[in-house]
Amino acid sequence: MSAFHKLIARVRTALERPVESAPPHHEAGGMAPPHAEAARRAELASAFAREFAAVRGEFLGIHAPEEIPAKVVELARSLNALAVAVGAGVTLDFEPIGRALEAARMAVVRTNAKKRDDAPPLRERIAQADLGVVEADAAIASTGTLAVVGTPASPASLTLTPPANLIIFHADRVHADLAAAIAALGPEPFVKNRVAMITGPSRTADIEKMIVLGVHGPRRLFAIAAWPR
Amino acid sequence: MSAGPSSSGFLESSRRGVADADLRRKLENATGRHLEHVAATRAEFPAFDSERDAARRIKEDAIGRLDELLVELKNKLEANGATVFVAADAGEARDYIVNVVKRAGAKQVVKGKSMTTEEIELNPALERAGVEVVETDLGEYIVQLRGERPSHIITPAIHLSKEDIGRLFADKLGIPYTAEPETLTDAARKRLREIFLSAGVGVTGVNFAIAETGTLALIENEGNGRLSSTLPDTFIAVMGIEKVIPKLSDLPHFLEILARTGTGQKLTTYVNFISGPRGRHDADGPRAMHVVILDNGRSAMLADPVLREALYCLRCGACLNVCPVYRRIGGHAYNSTYPGPIGSIVSPNLFGSAAAELPFASTLCGACRDICPVRIDIPRILLHLRWRESVAQPAIKWPKAAVKARASVVRFARMARFPRTLRLLTRLAAPVLRPFARDGYMRRMPGVAGNWTRWGRDFPALRARRKTRQKPAEHS
Amino acid sequence: MTEVRLFATCLAEEFFPSVIEAAKTVLERLKLKVRPVRASFCCAQAPFNEGLREPALDLARKFLRACEPGAPIVIPSGSCTSMVRIFYSDLLANEPKLAERAAALRPWIYEFSQFLVDVMKVKYVGARFDRTVAYHPACHLTRELRVIDQPRALLAAVEGIRVVDFRNPEECCGFGGVFSVKLPHISAAMAEDKIQRIQESGASTIVANDCGCLMQLGGALHRRGIPIETWHLAEVLAAR
């Protein structure tokens, strides 16, 4: 505690010195979230899709919620996935996705299932999966970004350790830019949970500034927009 | 203090940099590619300059009331369940972290990219305590395997070619030689993933600390920062006191400019927000979270009205890429954690007189100020430090050439006070020297000007009429 | 406006007297009476950049005494013009009287190309120059004074000239005053790379507005025996 007070004292003394630049004026307020009428929504979703592709994300289209389980199965098959880790939805019910995958004879790692005593911890089972599936809390059109809030039912590992990742987002939750998305999310999820903003698959440019995907996080990132009929 | 430059090493190390034609080619390619990306992303974002101004105003405000913001940050982080430690200097920070690691009983520490932990020389301290430290950012991993320090704050292995890295991996990881970046990256991924799953402690830096919510924002592309702060049971974040910003709604202004300048992306792949350890029902995330807030000379910079601005730095690395000096000598020549223009300001303040030469390693061309996302007036601060160092000069051991050059400027300034005498002298001297000149140039000069002619340049003769100046004629 | 004052700068006086004559010639062609500033030799940039405040103050004082507000003062150097227009306010921060004088003088200080285009409103000054030219935008001119288009406009109006582009034109030539002898290896490497890029452009002549850059690039070219010449913008504009 006293080290902290010493630091604060040092900082205060330093701040008593004259400042060179004019005192700042703080601007208040961000942008209001965009109006959710259909045309605007479609425009934002298509802007998102364009930016998402620009960061090498693979956009799988806009689908009604009831079509999504079949789309997930199709994707998992194309990846030759043996195991898929499925989180809980935010606006959508993810249970049909798990059932559809099981019906297609794939192992499903469920985050909300009661753990058997002999099973390895959930995060290890997620790390073994070939695909992680979550729902984003928000999408950002100007940058092609998906904001995912980690919760007990949707742990951060889902978008981190499997080699491929599918993020589903609700078409109502696409915001024009970062400021609008952060304003819409509000401070609460940031305080209570771990939030990740994800813009494309994991990448590096550490070797001669050449871009290589999948250095630590997922190599492939897919997105589906959900648009209820 | 050993993370700083060794005394008067800059002259020799910068000579080595300049003489390494291979290094210069690699730097030119990599930095050139970066500058092209930056120009392209900026061109398609009309709000870039207004976002810069907004970000700058937030930094001015935040640094101007750092005391209250640090109190708020600490309270909020503690309320979120994190443990906060304030370190006055590098030693205190190291001791604290080593202790936390020991208490956690960890044999292995994984690290995300963090210049602040380079600054406090954390790795050797952990190794002395018998802990294995693994850098997980690909570039950092590469330089760690080579036993080097990063040569750039964003692209640590910028001084290496893919062939260099191919040979390194063949040697150290025992994989067949290849210069394919994809194959090399994959080899590192496999090796590091195993370590991520077993390491007991993760350490990362911090890009922004939001006082309002007690949230740390970590910005990265690879995902290693996310892994380091998610998988190990103990997570330690290390940040300088200047990283704090007031509100969550301030952050977008920084995010809009940081990647556009640092890497030429609109946004980095990951922006990770961490406010505390995992909740009771969470399946991942650290069980214990420690935040080390480091002063180490920063409050002294804060006290200097000109230097204070340097605390606005976001560590985007763009000033290195655009700097004509950095591009010729590379980051290792600076012998400091922080190379390049911003490093030439920060290093003498964090590491003391051994880095006193660095503010002079600039032509004051201003390219750094123009590219800086928060418009830090780097040339002006360098001038301020030059003046400050010249006042404190007796304490510093300068290279002989520098002392001579400086003395000759003093002599010139003294003579220049008497224009008529000086003009008479040069008028008298000019014809005497003329026989030594060829086409109006001298091949060799005595004294300080000898440094000019020894290094690839003829020196213009006094008051010479170069014959080429008389009539223009196309000669092709 | 009939009278202008011409501040020659120390580098032009010592090494490039033809630049002073050329600047005078061009200004006289515009029917201006040119009176040189004789009572000052150096703007103080050399000691100022070295962190030598007291010697720099002496020279700034000398310059401010030698000049009066009321007639434009033209300087054929972006660097020296920046010193007076911009850096004097830092140098004179603790000298209120001198600072006041500098502030009064500031609106009368012009870099050569800035004066021609912004004040005299001319681009064509009757020059002819039958060469392929690479224009080197000097650092202080570009990034302190923000004089970017004026020299290019003047060059474009010269008869017979062909101006070519080269890679990364804004990168510093490496002169940097005392830097060029304190860290000569870095300085020379910067010149070397710049010259290489200009050579690729096929230019036979480099044009710049600063004698420092001309000295640096000219010296490096001459040492290598590369037949590219270095001309000051004023010299090009005086050519016929």
Side-chain angles (χ1 to χ4, degrees):
Chain A
M1 212 48 193
S2 77
F4 184 64
H5 287 306
K6 273 187 211 153
L7 170 73
I8 295 302
R10 279 200 299 280
V11 167
R12 252 178 216 148
T13 319
L15 287 171
E16 277 160 15
R17 300 294 187 89
V19 193
E20 291 257 313
S21 34
H25 290 280
H26 221 70
E27 287 160 291
M31 238 191 185
H35 189 55
E37 42 127 332
R40 172 84 172 140
R41 212 199 289 176
E43 195 185 299
L44 283 173
S46 78
F48 170 86
R50 193 176 57 239
E51 293 302 326
F52 188 68
V55 294
R56 316 261 291 263
E58 297 167 65
F59 187 61
L60 304 180
I62 302 175
H63 300 283
E66 54 274 22
E67 296 166 1
I68 289 177
K71 282 282 151 195
V72 179
V73 170
E74 194 184 314
L75 171 67
R77 280 214 178 107
S78 75
L79 296 170
N80 297 319
L82 300 174
V84 180
V86 182
V90 180
T91 64
L92 304 168
D93 180 11
F94 267 28
E95 198 37 48
I97 297 176
R99 281 200 302 271
L101 288 164
E102 276 162 346
R105 293 167 182 285
M106 279 177 260
V108 174
V109 178
R110 278 198 176 77
T111 53
N112 50 4
K114 265 243 152 65
K115 182 179 168 293
R116 292 196 324 271
D117 287 342
D118 56 335
L122 180 59
R123 56 163 231 196
E124 278 170 35
R125 285 179 287 141
I126 294 173
Q128 296 304 317
D130 302 296
L131 173 68
V133 184
V134 296
E135 183 179 345
D137 283 57
I140 300 165
S142 68
T143 50
T145 301
L146 294 157
V148 182
V149 178
T151 59
S154 261
S157 292
L158 284 172
T159 54
L160 187 55
T161 48
N165 183 204
L166 166 65
I167 303 179
I168 300 166
F169 63 96
H170 196 291
D172 273 351
R173 294 200 170 200
V174 188
H175 304 277
D177 57 22
L178 271 161
I182 286 182
L185 287 168
E188 203 180 292
F190 291 91
V191 178
K192 289 201 171 150
N193 310 93
R194 300 161 66 79
V195 179
M197 292 198 171
I198 301 174
T199 309
S202 153
R203 71 191 55 212
T204 183
D206 274 348
I207 303 179
E208 292 195 8
K209 288 262 175 196
M210 289 188 277
I211 290 169
V212 178
L213 299 182
V215 52
H216 286 294
R219 195 167 315 200
R220 296 183 74 183
L221 176 66
F222 303 90
I224 290 176
W227 193 322
R229 275 195 240 274
Chain B
M1 292 281 152
S2 49
S6 53
S7 60
S8 93
F10 182 69
L11 201 62
E12 288 91 66
S13 53
S14 63
R15 274 189 192 151
R16 273 197 301 279
V18 162
D20 188 343
D22 201 32
L23 172 71
R24 275 166 64 185
R25 185 186 48 78
K26 287 182 252 182
L27 286 171
E28 169 130 21
N29 287 343
T31 57
R33 217 165 291 154
H34 164 265
L35 295 173
E36 279 167 27
H37 291 316
V38 168
T41 20
R42 282 184 174 193
E44 59 177 18
F45 185 59
F48 186 76
D49 279 331
S50 62
E51 289 292 356
R52 275 171 105 179
D53 293 333
R56 161 113 193 167
R57 277 197 300 274
I58 295 164
K59 275 286 178 187
E60 283 172 2
D61 170 40
I63 299 293
R65 52 193 184 96
L66 196 52
D67 47 353
E68 53 178 283
L69 289 178
L70 284 170
V71 173
E72 189 183 354
L73 177 71
K74 182 172 185 279
N75 290 342
K76 290 285 163 58
L77 278 168
E78 286 171 348
N80 296 342
T83 308
V84 178
F85 177 75
V86 169
D89 57 31
E92 283 186 22
R94 277 195 305 262
D95 292 348
Y96 179 80
I97 297 168
V98 168
N99 247 319
V100 169
V101 172
K102 273 190 188 158
R103 263 187 289 133
K107 289 271 154 277
Q108 246 179 351
V109 169
V110 280
K111 278 183 70 203
K113 216 184 120 29
S114 153
M115 294 313 294
T116 314
T117 59
E118 296 278 346
E119 172 190 331
I120 62 170
E121 301 232 294
L122 179 61
N123 294 9
L126 285 168
E127 280 155 13
R128 277 194 301 276
V131 177
E132 186 196 356
V133 187
V134 183
E135 293 287 351
T136 59
D137 171 84
L138 179 60
E140 293 273 352
Y141 181 60
I142 292 166
V143 296
Q144 190 187 32
L145 285 179
R146 281 174 63 100
E148 288 177 326
R149 70 161 100 207
S151 72
H152 190 290
I153 62 178
I154 296 298
T155 323
I158 198 169
H159 59 291
L160 300 173
S161 67
K162 54 188 194 299
E163 289 79 13
D164 296 334
I165 297 161
R167 281 188 291 271
L168 175 76
F169 278 21
D171 179 29
K172 301 274 177 172
L173 305 185
I175 63 165
Y177 170 83
T178 172
E180 276 289 310
E182 285 81 8
T183 318
L184 294 169
T185 303
D186 199 47
R189 176 190 171 103
K190 288 204 178 89
R191 185 66 56 101
L192 291 169
R193 178 55 71 89
E194 288 164 26
I195 299 171
F196 269 126
L197 290 166
S198 64
V201 177
V203 179
T204 73
V206 173
N207 294 88
F208 302 95
I210 301 155
E212 173 189 41
T213 51
T215 303
L216 309 181
L218 268 65
I219 288 165
E220 53 147 352
N221 276 312
E222 297 187 358
N224 64 312
R226 269 192 95 193
L227 286 166
S228 302
S229 57
T230 304
L231 296 185
D233 268 347
T234 301
F235 168 53
I236 307 172
V238 187
M239 59 174 273
I241 56 170
E242 79 282 15
K243 296 289 180 200
V244 59
I245 59 172
K247 294 190 310 240
L248 186 62
S249 61
D250 294 328
L251 189 68
H253 299 294
F254 292 100
L255 296 180
E256 294 286 12
I257 55 173
L258 180 55
R260 283 188 168 91
T261 313
T263 57
Q265 296 167 281
K266 286 181 184 172
L267 192 62
T268 52
T269 303
Y270 299 110
V271 182
N272 309 308
F273 297 87
I274 307 159
S275 301
R278 69 160 83 167
R280 203 181 320 143
H281 303 294
D282 280 322
D284 55 16
R287 289 175 206 278
M289 171 167 159
H290 297 258
V291 182
V292 177
I293 301 178
L294 178 72
D295 182 346
N296 204 29
R298 287 166 176 82
S299 59
M301 290 173 72
L302 184 67
D304 180 320
V306 179
L307 268 174
R308 181 178 293 185
E309 194 184 341
L311 295 175
Y312 304 163
C313 175
L314 309 179
R315 303 277 187 266
C316 74
C319 63
L320 280 60
N321 292 338
V322 83
C323 176
V325 173
Y326 178 89
R327 292 169 64 124
R328 303 283 139 13
I329 64 177
H332 287 151
Y334 293 80
N335 299 315
S336 168
T337 306
Y338 302 107
I342 191 66
S344 298
I345 291 171
V346 170
S347 304
N349 288 288
L350 303 189
F351 308 121
S353 65
E357 288 170 80
L358 296 184
F360 292 88
S362 165
T363 61
L364 306 175
C365 78
C368 46
R369 179 192 52 205
D370 274 16
I371 205 163
C372 176
V374 287
R375 304 184 195 276
I376 298 173
D377 196 344
I378 295 174
R380 180 165 183 254
I381 305 176
L382 290 172
L383 277 164
H384 174 73
L385 289 172
R386 290 179 184 190
W387 177 59
R388 204 183 75 178
E389 299 310 332
S390 78
V391 171
Q393 201 188 7
I396 298 159
K397 198 173 169 337
W398 299 91
K400 221 189 292 167
V403 176
K404 277 193 186 160
R406 208 178 163 80
S408 72
V409 180
V410 175
R411 267 199 308 279
F412 165 78
R414 209 173 288 148
M415 288 197 298
R417 280 152 58 201
F418 310 101
R420 227 169 298 178
T421 320
L422 191 51
R423 284 191 193 105
L424 182 68
L425 277 174
T426 56
R427 200 160 58 229
L428 292 174
V432 180
L433 296 171
R434 202 155 291 148
F436 299 100
R438 197 163 51 90
D439 313 330
Y441 282 102
M442 314 281 285
R443 199 170 170 83
R444 215 167 291 142
M445 288 291 285
V448 167
N451 280 346
W452 179 286
T453 52
R454 265 194 299 283
W455 286 95
R457 293 158 296 177
D458 289 343
F459 197 81
L462 269 183
R463 299 194 168 217
R465 309 209 144 259
R466 276 157 283 274
K467 67 179 174 215
T468 53
R469 304 209 162 260
Q470 281 151 19
K471 255 193 203 112
E474 185 68 84
H475 50 199
S476 58
Chain C
M1 189 198 304
T2 52
E3 188 184 278
V4 293
R5 307 207 58 193
L6 181 65
F7 179 65
T9 79
C10 58
L11 286 181
E13 283 210 54
E14 288 176 58
F15 303 117
F16 300 97
S18 53
V19 171
I20 309 170
E21 282 160 38
K24 192 160 172 278
T25 304
V26 173
L27 293 169
E28 283 173 350
R29 274 185 203 151
L30 299 172
K31 311 263 179 283
L32 294 164
K33 186 166 175 266
V34 181
R35 204 153 57 86
V37 176
R38 302 283 296 171
S40 169
F41 191 75
C42 169
C43 66
Q45 177 145 232
F48 178 72
N49 282 1
E50 185 57 19
L52 297 160
R53 292 264 162 152
E54 288 308 316
L57 264 179
D58 287 343
L59 293 184
R61 197 173 288 126
K62 194 87 189 166
F63 179 85
L64 290 171
R65 280 206 197 115
C67 298
E68 291 287 330
I73 295 152
V74 177
I75 307 178
S77 155
S79 211
C80 307
T81 310
S82 312
M83 183 65 207
V84 180
R85 279 187 75 111
I86 295 166
F87 299 120
Y88 269 18
S89 63
D90 268 351
L91 174 61
L92 306 175
N94 300 320
E95 304 279 335
K97 274 224 176 90
L98 283 178
E100 201 179 305
R101 204 175 157 83
L105 200 60
R106 191 166 300 130
W108 299 95
I109 307 280
Y110 294 97
E111 185 276 331
F112 179 70
S113 70
Q114 192 182 26
F115 179 73
L116 294 184
V117 175
D118 297 352
V119 181
M120 298 304 292
K121 312 279 181 209
V122 294
K123 284 179 188 134
Y124 177 69
V125 291
R128 177 167 194 95
F129 197 67
D130 293 305
R131 292 195 185 194
T132 305
V133 160
Y135 169 66
H136 162 62
C139 297
H140 283 169
L141 185 75
T142 308
R143 284 184 283 263
E144 297 293 342
L145 298 177
R146 306 280 171 200
V147 172
I148 293 161
D149 299 330
Q150 295 91 325
R152 293 182 187 278
L154 289 161
L155 282 175
V158 171
E159 288 175 55
I161 204 167
R162 199 177 135 237
V163 182
V164 292
D165 292 330
F166 59 99
R167 280 191 297 129
N168 201 0
E170 277 96 12
E171 193 178 59
C172 179
C173 70
F175 176 67
V178 190
F179 175 87
S180 65
V181 288
K182 261 181 121 170
L183 294 165
H185 50 295
I186 306 174
S187 173
M190 285 159 73
E192 182 184 25
D193 290 353
K194 176 127 219 167
I195 285 169
Q196 201 196 333
R197 298 199 299 273
I198 292 176
Q199 268 187 299
E200 289 167 9
S201 75
S204 70
T205 305
I206 299 172
V207 176
N209 301 19
D210 250 291
C211 288
C213 314
L214 295 177
M215 186 172 162
Q216 166 85 344
L217 294 172
L221 287 162
H222 195 260
R223 170 63 61 92
R224 287 169 176 73
I226 298 170
I228 294 178
E229 291 180 9
T230 43
W231 286 61
H232 192 283
L233 178 71
E235 295 176 296
V236 174
L237 298 184
R240 279 189 154 161

